[in-house]
Amino acid sequence: MHGPRPFSMPACRRRLRGAMAWTAFAASLAASPAASAVTTLTVDLSRPIGAATHAANGSLYGVIEMKPADVQKLIAPLHPRMFNNPAADVQQPVGDAIVVAGRVASTGATVTIRLADWFTGWYAFTNMTDWFSKIDQTISRKKAANLTNIYAYELWNEPNGTWNGTSPNTTSTNGSNLSFNAFWKQTYDHVRAQDPSVKITGPSVAGYNQSYLSDFLSYCKANGCLPDIVGWHDGGAIQNNVNAYRALEKQLGIGPLPITINEYSLTANITHEGEPGASATLIAAMERTRVDSACITFWDVSHPGRLGSLLATDTQTNAGWFFYEWYGEMTGQMLATVSSLSPGGGNFDGFANLDATAGRASVLFGGTNDGTLQIVAKGFAAAGAGTAVHAVVERTPWVDRTTVVTATDTVSTADLTATGDQIAVTVPNANATDGFRLLLTWPDGGWVDASAPEAGGADAPGDATPQEATGGSEGATGDATSTSGASGSDAAQPGETTPAAGEDPGAALQAGAKAGCSCSSVLLPESSAMGRLAGVLAAVVGLGVVRRRGRKSAARSASRITAKDDRLPW
């Protein structure tokens, strides 16, 4: 990925003339029929499902003592919900939860303390006396640090693999002579007595296991030791599993308890970790089912402190980081979304928010699809948006987790009219791995300075203007024929953005060039035909009328980690 190139005046004029020559062709693209097979996500602005909390914006061992070094540039823009970290640097040689909680407190993030990581291996349990001593050390350190951002104590990790296998009622062979249920009860009572102010989570089983959870929760209900937050690890069937769990709660007469999916990944390996497309499908499932918190897995065992494979190096972002930054920028209420594909398995899906006060909504989407995506947004009247909507489609391009990405691409921009209270935006030439955002705004009008720098590396809450966007570039999806279309429901064709009668579509740019300004900082009124055409021109010829979003990091670190031997079985 490259940032915007400086323009010399001769080059600027040449590209302006070229842009004008492309105008008619761009208009014909905007009016071309959509592909017959379209994968659709429907977003209903009139159906809020709960507050935006960035529930799935967290990671296992994604933050450690010295990494990422730049908290404000690499962690804070994500607005993370919760990180999961070891109680001591024993099973994992880095990542002490008490230290990390202090590091991330300023970002608003919380930390779950994984108590089982007091033991070496997977896990070399000793005895209950030693276990309680270790717990007491952790609680004493937590209290001495005056931490107020501890999400929960996780009493154990993956007991269906590390304690006794198939049933929590079976006595373990680890020397404790206890079933997991009996171990849980004793540990629960001890922790609750020592620090009643902090919640308890568990059982953190490896993969959703309804039989195991049923036996565990039945025991807990009968013995007064239900977790405050129930948790397990999950993959490509999160929505179905959460629904099954909620049915189980009703059957057992408990809850509803908050849910933490404190390790999530599409597959039980590193293949999709941090990938925007896969992440879109997983986050959509968790937002739709109102999971309370979730953490990206830790399969890149040689590189802790990379936010769950959202960093290409210890100091540089990859495409996944930008997708999660978009997620972190969501404010207000999350919205009901429905994909035309079945949920799970990496199928195309998405999630959305509405901030009615700020006059903006956004939709994040991705996953396996047929190549043409359509976002249908409806319910504008209920959102107080009127009929005039400005739409910007952005893409964060994924190669792999170690490929550095410093900016996102703008695919298209358009001023639309919501007819029948809805609009449709089409994105062609999509793949399964990239992530996309549709940003919708309904400002009062006026000029938008697209060259203004970002403050703090993220949009300020309540900002009602569109994100900084870019014209097409060398890394943009597709070529000149892949310009995405956007339309009101009454428009004859997607993406129609023809200029007003008698208006010179190049006048604003030419005036800017004559005045000696850079093409990348020309101000365009959104209400003008030039403003409406800017996205088409930029995507077709890489004009750079609107600047690409980008960020550089400056973190430095040198520590590494030995391989972790846990593997998730889903």
Side-chain angles (χ1 to χ4, degrees), residues 73-364:
K73 287 187 178 180
L74 294 178
I75 302 176
L78 306 182
H79 297 281
R81 167 72 165 147
M82 184 269 286
F83 295 103
N84 199 328
N85 284 76
D89 291 346
V90 179
Q91 201 251 19
Q92 302 296 321
V94 293
D96 184 293
I98 305 300
V99 176
V100 169
R103 290 195 69 210
V104 303
S106 65
T107 72
T110 61
V111 173
T112 290
I113 301 177
R114 177 166 284 183
L115 294 173
D117 282 1
W118 261 110
F119 295 112
T120 60
W122 195 234
Y123 290 102
F125 182 80
T126 52
N127 56 68
M128 294 302 290
T129 300
D130 180 50
W131 173 233
F132 289 161
S133 174
K134 295 179 188 304
I135 290 173
D136 291 348
Q137 291 179 56
T138 296
I139 293 175
S140 294
R141 291 183 58 221
K142 175 259 176 185
K143 291 180 177 178
N146 293 316
L147 296 173
T148 59
N149 63 326
I150 300 303
Y151 179 76
Y153 292 114
E154 182 188 31
L155 301 193
W156 199 253
N157 179 41
E158 299 190 346
N160 52 338
T162 63
W163 193 264
N164 56 5
T166 58
S167 170
N169 296 315
T170 304
T171 300
S172 177
T173 58
N174 64 6
S176 67
N177 200 33
L178 294 171
S179 68
F180 179 73
N181 280 342
F183 166 79
W184 172 273
K185 168 63 175 173
Q186 292 185 35
T187 304
Y188 178 99
D189 289 346
H190 186 84
V191 171
R192 188 66 91 208
Q194 297 299 312
D195 194 359
S197 66
V198 175
K199 294 179 180 179
I200 289 173
T201 186
S204 301
V205 290
Y208 182 76
N209 186 321
Q210 180 129 337
S211 175
Y212 195 100
L213 285 168
S214 179
D215 290 346
F216 169 76
L217 293 169
S218 295
Y219 174 90
C220 290
K221 179 184 178 183
N223 290 274
C225 55
L226 281 168
D228 300 298
I229 305 163
V230 69
W232 67 85
H233 305 162
D234 216 329
I238 292 174
Q239 184 167 326
N240 290 338
N241 290 339
V242 172
N243 290 339
Y245 170 74
R246 290 304 186 199
L248 175 63
E249 282 186 326
K250 292 180 180 179
Q251 176 186 330
L252 298 178
I254 64 171
L257 299 175
I259 295 172
T260 181
I261 308 295
N262 55 16
E263 295 186 29
Y264 73 85
S265 181
L266 182 61
T267 54
N269 53 56
I270 199 171
T271 304
H272 299 285
E273 192 171 86
E275 175 195 300
S279 297
T281 70
L282 298 169
I283 298 172
M286 288 184 277
E287 287 291 348
R288 190 173 291 129
T289 56
R290 306 312 293 153
V291 166
D292 190 67
S293 67
C295 291
I296 303 170
T297 49
F298 177 60
W299 288 106
D300 192 3
V301 296
S302 297
H303 300 108
R306 291 192 180 177
L307 300 172
S309 293
L310 301 185
L311 299 181
T313 70
D314 289 341
T315 63
Q316 296 171 293
T317 55
N318 63 27
W321 187 92
F322 286 95
F323 192 79
Y324 279 80
E325 186 203 23
W326 288 340
Y327 183 25
E329 291 173 357
M330 287 182 159
T331 52
Q333 293 286 310
M334 301 304 290
L335 300 172
T337 62
V338 178
S339 173
S340 61
L341 302 183
S342 299
N347 284 341
F348 169 76
D349 210 340
F351 51 102
N353 79 298
L354 165 68
D355 190 330
T357 301
R360 61 186 283 162
S362 66
V363 188
L364 272 61

Side-chain angles (χ1 to χ4, degrees), residues 389-427:
V389 181
H390 186 67
V392 179
V393 177
E394 299 165 276
R395 177 185 75 114
T396 183
W398 176 262
V399 177
D400 55 43
R401 70 184 186 284
T402 61
T403 297
V404 175
V405 174
T406 60
T408 59
D409 298 326
T410 291
V411 178
S412 69
T413 64
D415 288 322
L416 310 177
T417 299
T419 303
D421 205 30
Q422 72 175 39
I423 63 170
V425 177
T426 300
V427 182

